[in-house]
Amino acid sequence: MRFHGQHQRNRVTLPDITSMVDVVFLLIIFFLTTSSLVRATVSEIDLAEEAGNVEASLEERGLVVNVTPEGLYLVEGDAVPLDSLLGMIAAEADDEAGLADVEVLVRADKDAPLRPVNALASGLVELGVRDWKLATRVPPGVAPTASRNAPERP
Amino acid sequence: MDFTQSKRSARSRLMGGLQLTSMVDVIFLLLIYFLLTTTYTPPEARLTPALQAERVSGGAAADLEPQVVHVELVDGRPGFRIGERVLREQSSLRNVLQQLPKDAGVFVRGAHDAPVGFGVAALQAAYDAGFFKVTYVPAR
């Protein structure tokens, strides 16, 4: 008769849900926090529908500048005047590489006039920033252009 | 005598601490919450034209004169102009650019009052036509 031993084995296998619930709630808090940050960085902009010449990367560095249909610059959800924006871009410069490594992604609304984009582009030229990208929305049914090569710099 | 019933009840009494029903309820509620609150982000791509300031031309012309696509309002409507030729459609611009030599590259100059969509369309047409040296020149 070994009833006692069996009872002990069953008691040992009881799982503790408390720690699992803790982990689940920590994950929920993490995802809630990070998703709101992503939303603040990338504003809802109606981009031009083009296939582009390079794919968007998930690990894009640099500054994301959104341009609204009214011509306002939005950085992380806040409207920023051009002077301050250029100051922010200049502040991104590395001590060693300078502004050569600064990347600027411009997400401009397709219905916005080119005036704010031109003003920003002229400011980037004056600062010495050459690495800029224009965001497009991949049209439905069109594969992102992974096969295309990035253009050579003149 | 039904020993199986007594065995099952004894086991459930021992394992009774684990209530999966409430856990499944919570998980489904969370799933529904995330499904409702998640916003679908359409896939994006990038255009990477070079950047150059507009210069007032003076002196001798270069050996290879680059083609310039002007994006501007023509008769009150946005369009593309190459020399005297005015094009309204991106496909027409692409066809014209395909016939041009590629070595000199192409410059896209966007006027202030033209919409961004047309500037982006001109850049895309240049890449689609086979140009590798595509430069955006902001209007002064």
Side-chain angles (χ1 to χ4, degrees):
Chain A
M1 301 286 271
R2 295 165 57 195
F3 292 117
H4 186 67
Q6 276 184 345
H7 276 253
Q8 270 192 333
R9 262 206 301 275
N10 283 338
R11 278 196 197 109
V12 169
T13 54
L14 280 175
D16 186 10
I17 297 182
T18 315
S19 55
M20 186 186 283
V21 171
D22 286 348
V23 171
V24 168
F25 272 99
L26 277 174
L27 285 172
I28 290 167
I29 291 165
F30 169 76
F31 282 116
L32 283 175
T33 314
T34 52
S35 65
S36 60
L37 282 175
V38 168
R39 204 172 300 153
T41 308
V42 180
S43 303
E44 286 184 20
I45 296 286
D46 191 10
L47 300 172
E49 279 197 5
E50 301 292 347
N53 69 321
V54 291
E55 274 188 275
S57 168
L58 288 174
E59 298 173 357
E60 276 172 327
R61 298 175 297 149
L63 198 67
V64 180
V65 181
N66 301 284
V67 180
T68 66
E70 297 79 26
L72 295 173
Y73 304 106
L74 295 181
V75 178
E76 295 185 356
D78 296 326
V80 180
L82 181 61
D83 293 342
S84 306
L85 178 59
L86 292 174
M88 289 168 70
I89 293 167
E92 293 265 321
D94 192 2
D95 290 338
E96 292 177 3
L99 284 159
D101 281 354
V102 174
E103 293 180 12
V104 178
L105 172 63
V106 180
R107 300 179 75 253
D109 193 289
K110 66 179 181 183
D111 295 324
L114 276 169
R115 184 182 301 278
V117 177
N118 286 343
L120 176 60
S122 299
L124 292 177
V125 171
E126 285 179 17
L127 283 174
V129 177
R130 293 287 186 274
D131 199 353
W132 80 318
K133 296 173 185 171
L134 286 167
T136 64
R137 186 161 49 118
V138 179
V142 174
T145 50
S147 58
R148 297 176 204 208
N149 295 322
E152 296 170 12
R153 299 291 181 196
Chain B
M1 289 186 71
D2 188 5
F3 287 107
T4 56
Q5 182 66 36
S6 62
K7 269 185 190 171
R8 201 174 293 151
S9 60
R11 188 174 182 180
S12 66
R13 218 181 303 128
L14 285 169
M15 301 288 287
L18 182 62
Q19 288 290 330
L20 277 179
T21 316
S22 54
M23 175 65 95
V24 171
D25 285 347
V26 171
I27 287 172
F28 271 103
L29 277 173
L30 287 171
L31 187 66
I32 291 165
Y33 168 77
F34 281 115
L35 282 174
L36 291 177
T37 54
T38 302
T39 51
Y40 171 70
T41 307
E44 289 188 10
R46 306 284 182 250
L47 285 167
T48 56
L51 204 51
Q52 188 170 308
E54 194 173 24
R55 290 174 190 161
V56 180
S57 61
D63 293 337
L64 291 171
E65 195 68 31
Q67 291 90 198
V68 182
V69 178
H70 295 268
V71 182
E72 57 192 17
L73 294 183
V74 183
D75 300 329
R77 288 166 54 209
F80 313 105
R81 183 171 62 79
I82 303 177
E84 297 299 316
R85 198 166 175 181
V86 176
L87 306 160
R88 298 288 182 187
E89 302 292 329
Q90 187 192 29
S91 56
S92 311
L93 176 65
R94 185 169 52 239
N95 291 336
V96 171
L97 289 174
Q98 276 172 345
Q99 295 163 12
L100 297 177
K102 305 293 185 294
D103 294 337
V106 65
F107 282 35
V108 176
R109 182 187 179 278
H112 289 319
D113 49 0
V116 166
F118 273 74
V120 172
L123 292 167
Q124 183 70 57
Y127 285 117
D128 290 345
F131 283 94
F132 287 103
K133 293 177 184 174
V134 182
T135 306
Y136 183 74
V137 182
R140 280 174 179 268

